[in-house]
Amino acid sequence: MTARSTGSPSGSPSGRPGPASSRTTPPPGATVPEPSGPDRRDLDLKLADYDGCFGCGDQSSDGLRVKQTGITGTEVTGEFTVLEAHQGAPGLAHGGVLATAMDESLGSSAWVLGKRYVTGRLETDFMAPVPVGSTVYLRSWCTGVDGRKAYLQGEGRIGGPDGPIAVRAAALFIEVPEEHFSREREG
Ligand SMILES: CCCCCCCC(=O)SCCNC(=O)CCNC(=O)[C@H](O)C(C)(C)COP(=O)(O)OP(=O)(O)OC[C@H]1O[C@@H](n2cnc3c(N)ncnc32)[C@H](O)[C@@H]1OP(=O)(O)O
């Protein structure tokens, strides 16, 4: 594989501090579990691959339609293309859209762990503007699990999977029971 322009998952692009605060950094003793494997992921397929999802669903016309491209351990890669509907400033992706893409990517990595997780806290660093028409290459991985809490980090690159980092994120996901989703649907 070609060397990435800004280093390893824990690297610090442009010399800036890493994206994680104390609330998104795993405590001492947290471990990264072995992913539960494809069989376990299949159990959650209906929720994880919900067609109406703004992040990944095919039925969300202005959604991001993030496509998953690979899973290695807890690392999940994906990509999406920035549309005109995703603009903030003219010709450039809205920061909230990029944060959503990171939420989607981080969430995919959390779900690979084989339990149901929702985002509790999401922290983002916007490193470079992202023009409409760009493909954003997403990559997320788990940095530790402590009880119900899963800690994730991720990044979005432009110009190619090894191109410069445009956005990076750290997050705390919380494990929830299945009822969490039925309760939300009932309003
Ligand atoms: C493939 C699928 C991809 C999906 C990608 C998209 C993912 C999403 O966007 S999910 C949608 C956005 N998120 C949500 O809607 C979540 C809304 N929030 C909630 O439902 C609840 O607040 C929830 C479940 C996160 C936590 O509530 P609850 O279950 O009562 O747990 P609670 O006791 O408050 O917290 C559990 C622990 O997490 C900690 N915690 C919870 N939230 C935070 C936070 N924001 N920051 C730091 N710590 C937190 C608590 O302090 C507590 O820690 P400890 O056990 O040490 O005391």
Side-chain angles (χ1 to χ4, degrees):
M1 178 192 248
T2 315
R4 293 178 192 275
S5 60
T6 48
S8 66
S10 57
S12 179
S14 307
R16 296 187 199 171
S21 74
S22 59
R23 291 166 73 182
T24 55
T25 299
T31 55
V32 179
E34 283 297 312
S36 301
D39 293 345
R40 187 67 190 273
R41 281 199 302 273
D42 285 348
L43 288 179
D44 287 319
L45 214 54
K46 282 189 183 154
L47 275 173
D49 284 351
Y50 172 47
D51 273 354
C53 174
F54 184 78
C56 67
D58 284 336
Q59 287 178 11
S60 181
S61 56
D62 286 337
L64 306 189
R65 301 187 180 210
V66 172
K67 294 292 170 227
Q68 196 170 289
T69 54
I71 303 175
T72 306
T74 70
E75 182 179 298
V76 175
T77 54
E79 58 188 63
F80 80 104
T81 299
V82 177
L83 306 177
E84 289 193 2
H86 303 151
Q87 291 175 100
L92 297 176
H94 195 293
V97 163
L98 299 174
T100 301
M102 292 314 307
D103 191 23
E104 179 68 30
S105 176
L106 295 157
S108 297
S109 180
W111 279 58
V112 164
L113 298 171
K115 295 178 178 171
R116 297 175 183 84
Y117 286 99
V118 293
T119 322
R121 183 174 177 82
L122 174 64
E123 299 166 359
T124 47
D125 289 326
F126 302 99
M127 312 291 288
V130 178
V132 169
S134 304
T135 296
V136 182
Y137 298 87
L138 304 163
R139 189 168 69 102
S140 292
W141 58 93
C142 179
T143 57
V145 173
D146 179 38
R148 292 176 58 208
K149 300 182 203 176
Y151 298 82
L152 289 302
Q153 288 192 26
E155 62 193 22
R157 296 175 183 257
I158 52 176
D162 297 319
I165 294 177
V167 58
R168 61 184 184 176
L172 170 65
F173 277 68
I174 310 291
E175 184 188 338
V176 292
E178 189 171 6
E179 298 76 63
H180 173 94
F181 300 100
S182 47
R183 187 183 65 224
E184 298 306 319
R185 276 198 298 273
E186 286 159 12

